[in-house]
Amino acid sequence: MKTQRALLSITAALVAATLGADAPGAEESSTVLSPQALQEMVQVEAEIDRIEAHAIERLAVPPDNQVQQVELLGKLMLYDKQLSVNRNEACAFCHTPETGFTGPVSELNRTTGSYPGSVRTRFSNRKPQSHAYAPLSPVLHFNPGQGDLVGGNFWDMRATGRRLGNPAAEQAEGPPTNPVEMGLPDIACAVYRASQRPYRALFESVWGRQAFAIAWPRDVEQVCARPGPPPAGAPMPVHLGSLDRGRAGATFDQMAQSIAGYEASAEVTSFTSKFDAVLAGKAQFTTQEQAGYDLFRGKAQCNACHRDGGPGEDPLFTDFTASNIGTPANPRLPYYAENRPDALGYVANPAGSSFIDGGVGNFLTKGQLLSQPSAVDQRWVKLAPGNQARIQVPTLRNVDKRPYPAFVKAYMHNGYFTSLKAIVHFYNTRDVLLRCQSHDVGESTTCWPAPESTDNMNTSRVGRLSLSDAEEDAIVSFMQTLTDGFMAVN
């Protein structure tokens, strides 16, 4: 009965959002979430509420050391939907344990690829990344020896970590004020909402009583209930004095650092896969898994970018660089239809159907970024042409983690692929098979759509690998050994 009520509540909210699109000057969103997607969303939200309630219980007897206190704070904030503009979307809505801390709604992964934000008619232009292992990314830097930018967080590396010394913390600062994600109009709203939550006392114990000692204006509730972006003439609509504004900024940083602390904890970044067990001498690969690993390191050239470690190097299965592998555009993304004003007059994607994701190059030129990045080092602007359309190499850890076998996961920055087999086949045959249009009957078997962008496309390790079908299957089998949970967390 509770689930049915929740489903009706979400459906009513979506109907209200759609009706609101009939306001003068607004257009109705073309995206309608299916009943199956809505039902799965209800289940995900119920699980998030359950995890949050359990974490809140721990506040009665909090950990006795500061590291674990920071981790608990980070977990509480990641599962706190009150930190979104409509108090309906936690960070965890896009990052749950059962999927390796990436998108937890199978039907959305299969259809839209990206996820709705707190304003349920707004969708992002990219699929959710995993935040497991993200804190181990280095601060973004340019390596002249290899001619690459290395590090940062987000698909376009825009959470550089150069301000806070921690890319994961700077990544955590993006979604709260992203109009198509959590949607708050001002970072001060996240601080204000946190000041009202059960974890306030623990936060003040860890970070200091000054954290929430802010003179909030009388209209703060009203201001923070209106989805961003803020009006052009009022980029910080919560009107605070200079000292209170500085205090809010510092507290927002500490909230983000707490979240990064939890993401770095053994609960999230655990190194407990079968691969790790094999390294520790506690398990053995099957014949197929070993064959896949040999191909991964050899003929298939996967290890060149998805590194399995080296001297003094954790096996993180990424080299933290960026590459354009020629992924086709994903026509299922609702973002392409977000080129008209919504009920609040916001246009997420002025380019409409002609939008092309510029990846790292767009970050370096500040082109169409939905949430604020770290400041661009002006010495890097000249690198933009060589980084256009390049996307950060993701870790392969937990790449196949799913709550049940039939669960669909979305892959690559735009969610174009929905199976590991398809990805391996693409790497193998991108430049061998014919070109075709999306939805062609032979798509992904006898032909591939054209790349979204051919700028800086990787032609040395992708496209013509001469792998057999059995070899493709073996590589998939090996990647499945990277799922955490094979060993217990100490």
Side-chain angles (χ1 to χ4, degrees):
M1 184 61 71
K2 183 181 292 186
T3 299
Q4 291 176 332
R5 285 199 299 269
L7 178 57
L8 289 171
S9 175
I10 288 181
T11 304
L14 281 163
V15 170
T18 302
L19 291 175
D22 291 330
E27 297 288 346
E28 181 177 332
S29 169
S30 63
T31 301
V32 177
L33 294 172
S34 69
Q36 182 177 343
L38 290 171
Q39 187 169 7
E40 283 190 61
M41 287 166 60
V42 169
Q43 294 166 348
V44 167
E45 289 167 351
E47 177 64 6
I48 289 170
D49 289 345
R50 184 194 68 78
I51 294 174
E52 182 193 30
H54 183 263
I56 288 174
E57 289 175 1
R58 293 175 58 195
L59 289 172
V61 185
D64 60 2
N65 71 85
Q66 195 172 59
V67 171
Q68 292 180 14
Q69 290 170 359
V70 167
E71 292 174 1
L72 177 56
L73 281 171
K75 182 173 185 176
L76 285 161
M77 286 182 278
L78 272 173
Y79 287 87
D80 188 357
K81 62 187 178 187
Q82 299 296 319
L83 299 182
S84 64
V85 65
N86 290 324
R87 302 180 186 270
N88 62 340
E89 181 163 290
C91 295
F93 179 71
C94 294
H95 309 276
T96 61
E98 294 80 8
T99 56
F101 298 95
T102 185
V105 181
S106 179
E107 184 64 7
L108 292 181
N109 298 339
R110 187 184 71 83
T111 55
T112 62
S114 63
Y115 277 52
S118 183
V119 179
R120 291 300 196 212
T121 53
R122 296 178 181 178
F123 286 71
S124 176
N125 61 327
R126 295 176 180 146
K127 63 145 288 210
Q129 281 179 290
S130 169
H131 64 223
Y133 300 92
L136 302 183
S137 175
V139 171
L140 187 63
H141 60 281
F142 180 67
N143 183 324
Q146 64 188 59
D148 268 327
L149 286 167
V150 182
N153 272 191
F154 281 128
W155 290 112
D156 55 15
M157 299 175 157
R158 70 184 186 274
T160 68
R162 288 166 68 87
R163 185 173 69 85
L164 296 178
N166 187 333
E170 291 184 21
Q171 185 280 329
E173 295 189 329
T177 55
N178 187 331
V180 301
E181 293 188 33
M182 297 171 80
L184 291 170
D186 191 323
I187 65 170
C189 293
V191 177
Y192 172 71
R193 296 275 181 89
S195 74
Q196 300 176 310
R197 303 299 291 142
Y199 49 79
R200 172 173 177 158
L202 179 60
F203 194 100
E204 290 173 329
S205 175
V206 171
W207 295 107
R209 291 183 61 81
Q210 81 292 334
F212 301 117
I214 296 171
W216 299 107
R218 291 183 178 179
D219 64 349
V220 64
E221 284 278 3
Q222 180 181 354
V223 170
C224 292
R226 181 174 178 82
M236 293 182 287
V238 177
H239 297 142
L240 299 173
S242 58
L243 290 178
D244 283 334
R245 175 55 64 174
R247 192 169 288 133
T251 302
F252 189 62
D253 286 345
Q254 291 158 353
M255 291 169 65
Q257 288 167 325
S258 300
I259 290 171
Y262 171 65
E263 291 173 348
S265 73
E267 190 174 320
V268 180
T269 299
S270 62
F271 293 97
T272 58
S273 69
K274 182 176 183 179
F275 176 84
D276 297 298
V278 171
L279 288 186
K282 298 178 179 179
Q284 289 185 326
F285 288 134
T286 66
T287 300
Q288 187 184 45
E289 290 165 354
Q290 183 63 57
Y293 188 32
D294 293 340
L295 289 162
F296 186 94
R297 292 177 56 84
K299 182 179 177 181
Q301 304 182 70
C302 311
N303 200 56
C305 297
H306 296 282
R307 289 183 53 79
D308 65 345
E313 181 182 337
D314 280 328
L316 297 174
F317 291 91
T318 175
D319 64 357
F320 300 106
T321 63
S323 181
N324 175 15
I325 66 163
T327 302
N330 182 2
R332 302 186 304 276
L333 288 175
Y335 187 70
Y336 289 114
E338 294 182 63
N339 62 329
R340 295 173 293 179
D342 66 9
L344 296 170
Y346 175 63
V347 180
N349 175 25
S353 60
S354 63
F355 168 77
I356 295 176
D357 195 327
V360 178
N362 267 20
F363 155 57
L364 296 175
T365 56
K366 300 183 179 180
Q368 189 57 23
L369 297 171
L370 292 177
S371 64
Q372 290 303 307
S374 309
V376 175
D377 188 325
Q378 290 302 306
R379 292 167 291 187
W380 294 347
V381 173
K382 63 185 179 183
L383 303 175
N387 280 281
Q388 197 65 25
R390 296 180 75 189
I391 299 292
Q392 188 175 56
V393 176
T395 178
L396 295 184
R397 283 186 170 272
N398 291 313
V399 71
D400 193 56
K401 187 167 186 178
R402 63 189 74 222
Y404 52 89
F407 182 92
V408 176
K409 293 191 76 169
Y411 297 105
M412 299 305 176
H413 67 286
N414 60 8
Y416 173 81
F417 298 100
T418 54
S419 78
L420 288 180
K421 173 69 173 181
I423 294 172
V424 175
H425 189 57
F426 178 79
Y427 270 76
N428 185 27
T429 64
R430 183 196 67 193
D431 300 337
V432 177
L433 300 183
L434 299 173
R435 288 279 180 258
C436 59
Q437 298 298 315
S438 294
H439 307 304
D440 187 282
V441 66
E443 183 177 0
S444 81
T445 54
T446 61
C447 62
W448 292 108
E452 180 177 7
S453 172
T454 57
D455 290 344
N456 304 300
M457 195 165 73
N458 186 331
T459 56
S460 61
R461 298 190 176 98
V462 182
R464 194 182 296 269
L465 301 179
S466 300
L467 299 170
S468 68
D469 186 64
E471 287 175 326
E472 290 181 359
D473 288 341
I475 293 170
V476 171
S477 183
F478 166 68
M479 288 194 288
Q480 290 170 336
T481 72
L482 303 178
T483 296
D484 283 328
F486 185 85
M487 298 189 294
V489 176
N490 185 350

